[in-house]
Amino acid sequence: MKKPSKRRSGDQPTPKPKPVRPLPPDQRVGVSDVVLVRAKGTPGKGAGPGGEAWSIVTKGVKSGRIFINWIDEPPVGPHASIQIYLNRQSQGRGIGRIAYRLASEDSQYPTIFAHMRKSNEPSKRAAQAAGYQDATPPDYTQHLMRWDRQQSL
């Protein structure tokens, strides 16, 4: 008798991972625990013209990456766009809010935008904690956050 294949068929959706519960504020990492290390970047992730990339290191362990691309997309037009990816075990520990702020301050750009899905509330909260302000125009399908160097000082 033939064993059934463990491969997923194309008609089943990929299960969405369970959301990570954030740690209480007193258990989150501190600013001194997070270091950004300049990285080379990859195509579309900080390696293009005007791009910047960093590895996020928390207490000596790589916890993710953050990068800025120069893009030309509506509704802003040409602008610097920041994106962050954290390892699953690094999510919910307050690392994103620190990494957003450190990368924005270390960047060459005075104004940076962050685009994120409307369902990504943790990323929106992290960007707000780093000094980003909601700049979402009406009828825009994503959250659009804006950081200005002058306002963060």
Side-chain angles (χ1 to χ4, degrees):
M1 178 180 242
K2 186 177 178 182
K3 291 176 84 176
S5 173
K6 292 186 177 182
R7 299 189 89 187
R8 298 176 55 85
S9 66
D11 57 347
Q12 294 179 341
T14 303
K16 191 173 183 178
K18 291 182 179 178
V20 175
R21 289 184 170 211
L23 292 175
D26 62 326
Q27 295 179 17
R28 294 183 183 169
V29 299
V31 174
S32 61
D33 296 326
V34 179
V35 176
L36 296 186
V37 179
R38 283 264 178 189
K40 192 174 175 181
T42 58
K45 296 180 179 175
E52 299 177 281
W54 299 265
S55 292
I56 305 168
V57 179
T58 306
K59 296 183 179 179
V61 178
K62 186 174 178 183
S63 52
R65 58 193 161 133
I66 188 166
F67 53 88
I68 295 174
N69 290 319
W70 184 258
I71 62 173
D72 184 5
E73 290 183 4
V76 182
H79 64 279
S81 175
I82 192 167
Q83 290 186 311
I84 185 170
Y85 293 96
L86 290 175
N87 302 336
R88 185 154 177 83
Q89 64 272 19
S90 300
Q91 296 174 2
R93 299 175 55 201
I95 297 169
R97 58 188 63 202
I98 297 169
Y100 267 124
R101 184 176 62 77
L102 293 175
S104 300
E105 291 173 354
D106 193 36
S107 169
Q108 62 181 314
Y109 299 107
T111 301
I112 301 170
F113 287 88
H115 303 253
M116 55 199 75
R117 286 179 287 152
K118 287 208 170 179
S119 63
N120 193 351
E121 287 297 321
S123 190
K124 181 182 179 186
R125 286 193 303 270
Q128 285 176 322
Y132 281 76
Q133 297 180 348
D134 194 348
T136 308
D139 300 328
Y140 192 57
T141 58
Q142 298 181 335
H143 285 303
L144 181 63
M145 309 294 290
R146 178 185 174 133
W147 178 87
D148 290 301
R149 185 176 308 278
Q150 293 300 323
Q151 291 181 354
S152 70
L153 297 176

